[in-house]
Amino acid sequence: MSQDLVSVIMPTYNSGRHLKDSIDSILNQTYRNIELLITDDHSDDDNTLQILHSYVQQDQRVNVLFLDSNHGPGYARNKSIERAKGRYIAFCDSDDRWMADKLEQQIAFMQKEQLALSYSSFVTCDDNNCERGVVIAPRELTFGQLKRDNKIGCLTAVYDVEVLGKKYYMPAIRKRQDWGLFLSIIRDCKRAAGIQTPLAYYRMRKGSVSHNKLGLIKYNILIYQKVLGFSKWKSVAYFYLLFMPTHSLKVMRSKIDSFRYLQKKHK
């Protein structure tokens, strides 16, 4: 397998507690040809800043941009995408981790299946790295399916710039930007496919943006308006009639998959 450059996109903001583990999980990949593009969203935590400066000095693959004010993770990710030089663009937040062979498996999968966009299953864990469950990725996704609910874990997504062009950025919305990005990509490439083996660890933190589901409602509706161009009323109808049932079914399946995963793990 040829090792084309992979640009890994990471936003940081006061991430000191888990940042080192996240960065190490990327730099220690079995797939070596990577650049890690970190954009710090104006952290005021000395630990975060010290860690970032130390990695810039330790590893030439690490490139950090420090913002003068806070804009949110979508803006920070876009600033990293702007600097990306790789054929492939991948994502990992500063409290998540990758398994050591994630990129090796995923790039090989994309080349074999001739995919422009791929993703994988992932394990969920808590602040203490205790595993809490698993989210099993669908084998394939179409634009129509992704409109109903975001089924791509951002920390697992990889897309091919050579095929798609470097024209995709996250929408200027404070939350749910990753779903907006993937909708834009899959609208053009028509399909995506996933690896059902978990290749990453997603950290579920109390009080986090993704943990507050009720607070995300208006942002889900905004995605329909801003990304897909729906009217306000069509967006609301899509959310309650299609998104909510699909999301509820996904949550139910995830609970069943997580129960089976943990039972098998503890045998």
Side-chain angles (χ1 to χ4, degrees):
M1 180 183 71
S2 62
Q3 286 221 339
D4 295 293
L5 180 64
V6 177
S7 299
V8 184
I9 307 302
M10 177 182 286
T12 59
Y13 177 70
N14 293 347
S15 314
R17 180 176 179 185
H18 303 294
L19 180 57
K20 189 177 185 300
D21 286 344
S22 297
I23 293 177
D24 285 344
S25 77
I26 294 166
L27 298 181
N28 294 331
Q29 288 289 299
T30 55
Y31 188 106
R32 302 299 297 169
N33 193 17
I34 65 172
E35 60 174 1
L36 174 55
L37 302 170
I38 301 172
T39 298
D40 182 74
D41 200 16
H42 198 55
S43 291
D44 54 15
D45 164 40
D46 288 340
N47 189 27
T48 297
L49 299 175
Q50 289 171 4
I51 291 170
L52 293 176
H53 284 297
S54 69
Y55 274 99
V56 170
Q57 295 173 356
Q58 292 172 25
D59 197 312
Q60 62 182 5
R61 295 175 296 169
V62 180
N63 178 298
V64 181
L65 172 67
F66 296 92
L67 298 181
D68 293 331
S69 57
N70 182 269
H71 294 272
Y75 182 93
R77 291 189 188 108
N78 284 343
K79 284 297 180 181
S80 289
I81 293 173
E82 288 175 5
R83 311 198 308 277
K85 299 176 181 177
R87 172 177 176 176
Y88 297 98
I89 289 182
F91 299 89
C92 185
D93 281 355
S94 55
D95 53 357
D96 297 330
R97 291 174 292 139
W98 286 354
M99 296 182 185
D101 61 347
K102 176 191 184 292
L103 283 182
E104 183 178 356
Q105 283 201 50
Q106 204 162 348
I107 300 302
F109 174 68
M110 293 179 73
Q111 293 180 353
K112 179 182 177 182
E113 301 296 329
Q114 296 185 319
L115 295 167
L117 172 63
S118 74
Y119 50 87
S120 78
S121 302
F122 57 91
V123 175
T124 60
C125 65
D126 62 19
D127 262 349
N128 299 312
N129 293 330
C130 296
E131 295 186 9
R132 295 303 185 189
V134 69
V135 175
I136 303 298
R139 294 184 185 277
E140 291 199 354
L141 271 178
T142 64
F143 177 56
Q145 291 169 324
L146 196 62
K147 280 196 298 185
R148 291 173 173 259
D149 177 33
N150 186 18
K151 301 173 180 65
I152 299 176
C154 188
L155 73 164
T156 74
V158 180
Y159 67 92
D160 188 339
V161 174
E162 185 174 290
V163 173
L164 295 166
K166 192 181 174 183
K167 59 185 178 182
Y168 299 98
Y169 294 90
M170 297 202 170
I173 301 173
R174 195 77 182 181
K175 304 172 186 177
R176 302 296 279 165
Q177 316 92 340
D178 56 335
W179 184 30
L181 173 71
F182 304 142
L183 280 168
S184 297
I185 292 174
I186 202 170
R187 179 167 49 191
D188 291 345
C189 69
K190 308 304 181 187
R191 63 176 284 267
I195 297 174
Q196 294 204 298
T197 302
L199 296 179
Y201 294 93
Y202 173 76
R203 195 176 305 280
M204 302 178 70
R205 294 180 293 111
K206 291 182 179 180
S208 68
V209 167
S210 57
H211 195 79
N212 182 8
K213 301 301 183 184
L214 287 176
L216 292 175
I217 290 177
K218 69 176 181 180
Y219 296 99
N220 289 318
I221 293 172
L222 273 176
I223 289 294
Y224 288 124
Q225 293 179 266
K226 301 291 187 181
V227 177
L228 301 183
F230 290 177
S231 69
K232 179 179 179 180
W233 297 114
K234 183 176 180 180
S235 299
V236 171
Y238 238 82
F239 175 76
Y240 285 106
L241 298 179
L242 291 175
F243 180 98
M244 285 300 293
T246 304
H247 179 74
S248 298
L249 182 60
K250 182 181 75 172
V251 170
M252 188 184 306
R253 285 176 175 168
S254 181
K255 288 182 178 180
I256 295 171
D257 290 336
S258 294
F259 176 79
R260 291 172 176 168
Y261 173 83
L262 292 174
Q263 286 286 98
K264 184 177 179 181
K265 189 95 175 170
H266 294 147
K267 278 185 178 179

